[in-house]
């Protein structure tokens, strides 16, 4: 039977992992500078965590969760996102006793049963940051700046930052009233999903993808006109910091998010050229979530980047945006005593920090040189019997074909100097 990977998942082959490592290295360096420390939480949690945290009436919880019952009858779910698990760990390990805000980041796979298409997968990777324990609007701005710097450091441009405030549960009481009043007899024209959601979380109507709902939504009142004093003031300060720091953004009063935990600031970064799945990251404030999962009432704000989408955007734009490392040398031999010497030389060179390949299949010299070329080796170290008697090897520069006699005890120094001269 020919078994293939499950729908909506990806194999990242060796020639692709270099890109991932490139982006991951940028992420770790950026988090170091911004003072975020890595946290690793399980890929599955109690289903209840996501139901309570993300919201019962969200698409993620209603339709997209990989939930299952384990052999002891517990209901567990593969994490559809990282925030709920990080907050659960924060509460469980009493991280609130640390200096606030606690600033954490994570990298890892998330799982959503969505309809797969370019940029939308059932297993995808996120880089996320969460800052828990401060209401400071500058932290919201830091959360917007950090991904912008990441995108820039990777070589991406042409992205757009959209910002909104969706207020707090207090503002939403008034907004809901205004919305219901406005909709009046029109409530029935929304799709069944929206009708249900208008009751539970009216903001969700703004996010519906159905044509007829979108047309109706065009005229509904906007949450930003219903913010309470505290939320309006907070949003004002966010905008002022963004302006002060010269960050380009667009106010989008219709921007709402697909997760119920958000309060106040929400934001999304999009790359228009990516097509339908153009959000390369999104986040916002979630001041009620820590308490919702059993902790003290502590405000928090976070952001997550979809790494596949970031890489798709980089592939589209930047071509070769990272340097693929290549082997320093291919050690070629002719079997017998030359193989015995080859294993010694290979081992020694590797211990000295060089990336060295060799023949494991007893191939001819010609075939070995072909392999060296295919692997992109900079040089070939050719160990012949007559050279061995003279305590030398031939080192061939693969690009030019030039050959040099090099003493056995000079090979490492020769290859290192060559790498420095010709680049990695
Ligand atoms: P989200 O908007 O659901 O937010 O996901 C964040 C990003 O993950 C998206 O902008 C997108 O780049 C990527 N993403 C989401 N679903 C998929 C998918 N099916 N395939 C590929 N990429 C996808 C969150 O997950 C929040 N936890 C973000 C956050 C952190 N808010 C506060 N802290």
């Amino acid at each position: 039977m020919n078994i293939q990977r499950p729908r909506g998942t990806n194999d990242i082959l060796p020639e692709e992992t270099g890109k991932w490592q490139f982006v991951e290295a940028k992420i770790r360096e950026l988090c170091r500078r911004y003072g975020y420390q890595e946290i690793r939480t399980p890929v599955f949690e109690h289903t209840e965590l996501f139901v309570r945290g993300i919201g019962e009436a969200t698409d993620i919880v209603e339709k997209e969760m990989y939930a299952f019952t384990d052999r002891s009858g517990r209901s567990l779910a593969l994490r559809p996102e990282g925030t709920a698990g990080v907050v659960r760990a924060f509460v469980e390990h009493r991280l609130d006793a640390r200096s606030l805000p606690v600033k954490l980041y994570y990298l890892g796979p998330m799982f959503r049963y969505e309809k797969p298409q370019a940029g939308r997968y059932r297993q995808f990777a996120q880089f996320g940051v969460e800052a828990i324990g401060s209401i400071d609007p500058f932290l919201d701005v830091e959360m917007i700046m950090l991904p912008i710097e990441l995108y820039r450091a990777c070589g991406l441009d042409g992205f757009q930052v959209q910002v909104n405030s969706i207020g707090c549960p207090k503002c939403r009481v008034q907004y809901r009233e205004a919305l219901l009043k406005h909709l009046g007899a029109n409530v029935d024209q929304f799709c069944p999903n929206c009708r249900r959601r208008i009751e539970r979380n009216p903001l969700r109507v703004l996010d519906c993808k159905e044509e007829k709902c979108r047309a109706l939504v065009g005229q509904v009142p906007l949450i930003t006109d219903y913010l309470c004093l505290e939320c309006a003031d907070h949003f004002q300060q966010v905008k002022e910091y963004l302006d002060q720091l010269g960050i380009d953004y667009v106010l989008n009063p219709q921007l709402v998010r697909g997760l119920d935990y958000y309060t106040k600031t929400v934001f999304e970064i999009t790359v228009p050229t990516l097509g339908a799945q153009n959000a390369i990251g999104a986040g916002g404030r979630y001041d009620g979530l820590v308490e919702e999962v059993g902790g003290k009432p502590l405000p928090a704000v976070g952001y997550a980047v979809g790494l596949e989408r970031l890489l798709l955007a980089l592939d589209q734009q930047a071509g070769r945006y990272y340097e693929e490392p290549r082997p320093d040398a291919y050690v070629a031999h002719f079997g017998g005593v030359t193989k015995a010497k080859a294993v010694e030389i290979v081992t020694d060179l590797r211990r000295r920090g060089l990336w060295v390949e060799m023949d494991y299949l007893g191939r001819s010299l010609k075939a070995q040189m072909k392999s060296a070329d295919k692997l992109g080796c900079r040089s070939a170290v050719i160990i012949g019997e007559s050279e061995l008697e003279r305590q030398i090897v031939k080192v061939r520069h693969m690009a030019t074909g030039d050959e040099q006699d090099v003493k056995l005890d000079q090979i490492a120094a020769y290859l290192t100097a060559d790498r420095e001269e010709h680049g990695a």
Side-chain angles (χ1 to χ4, degrees), residues 179-246:
L179 190 67
L180 290 176
K181 190 164 155 217
H182 175 87
L183 293 175
N186 288 341
V187 179
D188 292 345
Q189 292 179 39
F190 278 88
C191 72
N193 259 349
C194 279
R195 266 181 274 153
R196 210 155 31 87
R197 283 170 182 166
I198 286 169
E199 279 302 309
R200 299 200 203 186
N201 180 358
L203 278 177
R204 301 221 38 85
V205 295
L206 299 183
D207 209 21
C208 186
K209 304 286 181 281
E210 299 254 335
E211 282 287 316
K212 65 175 182 193
C213 299
R214 290 182 80 94
L216 289 167
V217 155
Q219 309 120 32
V220 300
L222 297 171
I223 180 77
T224 33
D225 295 327
Y226 291 84
L227 296 181
C228 67
L229 274 180
E230 188 200 320
C231 289
D233 179 53
H234 190 273
F235 193 35
Q236 184 57 28
Q237 290 187 58
V238 169
K239 290 184 282 188
E240 282 172 13
Y241 282 128
L242 287 169
D243 293 337
Q244 183 190 343
L245 296 168

Side-chain angles (χ1 to χ4, degrees), residues 318-337:
R320 281 186 63 83
Y321 49 91
Y322 74 107
E323 191 71 43
E324 183 87 69
R326 54 197 195 114
D328 294 299
Y330 188 98
V331 173
H333 61 86
F334 301 89
V337 284

Side-chain angles (χ1 to χ4, degrees), residues 26-271:
K26 298 277 182 213
I27 286 172
R28 293 189 195 283
E29 165 52 19
L30 203 64
C31 286
R32 186 190 64 78
R33 276 197 270 141
Y34 277 74
Y36 287 80
Q37 289 185 304
E38 188 177 5
I39 183 164
R40 301 185 189 196
T41 63
V43 290
F44 60 88
E45 298 272 358
H46 291 287
T47 307
E48 180 65 15
L49 174 70
F50 302 120
V51 175
R52 288 234 306 260
I54 299 171
E56 216 173 337
T58 57
D59 279 355
I60 296 183
V61 167
E62 274 186 348
K63 305 183 197 155
E64 297 169 3
M65 259 202 312
Y66 279 93
F68 58 97
T69 308
D70 78 1
R71 288 169 196 274
S72 323
R74 294 182 195 93
S75 177
L76 300 169
L78 297 184
R79 59 183 185 191
E81 58 102 51
T83 311
V86 168
V87 170
R88 194 262 317 131
F90 175 90
V91 172
E92 187 169 333
H93 301 282
R94 300 183 201 289
L95 301 192
D96 60 330
R98 301 188 180 182
S99 166
L100 297 178
V102 171
K103 296 162 94 177
L104 305 165
Y105 81 91
Y106 50 90
L107 274 165
M110 308 293 159
F111 307 85
R112 294 183 194 174
Y113 188 79
E114 289 195 86
K115 203 164 175 212
Q117 63 182 82
R120 195 208 270 158
Y121 311 104
R122 291 182 173 170
Q123 176 177 334
F124 58 97
Q126 274 187 354
F127 153 57
V129 273
E130 314 291 349
I132 307 174
S134 165
I135 188 87
D136 189 337
F138 178 61
L139 209 48
D140 305 41
V141 171
E142 188 173 293
M143 213 48 90
I144 297 173
M145 256 181 335
L146 198 145
I148 292 179
E149 278 212 35
L150 171 68
Y151 301 146
R152 289 216 181 107
C154 292
L156 188 76
D157 45 31
F159 51 84
Q160 193 192 55
V161 182
Q162 295 184 39
V163 183
N164 192 22
S165 174
I166 57 167
C168 64
K170 264 188 292 175
C171 327
R172 276 180 230 156
V173 174
Q174 286 181 31
Y175 179 63
R176 190 168 162 266
E177 255 172 43
L179 190 67
L180 290 176
K181 190 164 155 217
H182 175 87
L183 293 175
N186 288 341
V187 179
D188 292 345
Q189 292 179 39
F190 278 88
C191 72
N193 259 349
C194 279
R195 266 181 274 153
R196 210 155 31 87
R197 283 170 182 166
I198 286 169
E199 279 302 309
R200 299 200 203 186
N201 180 358
L203 278 177
R204 301 221 38 85
V205 295
L206 299 183
D207 209 21
C208 186
K209 304 286 181 281
E210 299 254 335
E211 282 287 316
K212 65 175 182 193
C213 299
R214 290 182 80 94
L216 289 167
V217 155
Q219 309 120 32
V220 300
L222 297 171
I223 180 77
T224 33
D225 295 327
Y226 291 84
L227 296 181
C228 67
L229 274 180
E230 188 200 320
C231 289
D233 179 53
H234 190 273
F235 193 35
Q236 184 57 28
Q237 290 187 58
V238 169
K239 290 184 282 188
E240 282 172 13
Y241 282 128
L242 287 169
D243 293 337
Q244 183 190 343
L245 296 168
I247 297 169
D248 269 339
Y249 64 95
V250 178
L251 288 176
N252 177 358
Q254 295 209 345
L255 176 69
V256 293
R257 305 272 301 116
L259 305 98
D260 280 353
Y261 51 60
Y262 289 112
T263 52
K264 294 190 170 64
T265 322
V266 290
F267 38 89
E268 201 163 276
I269 304 189
T270 54
V271 177

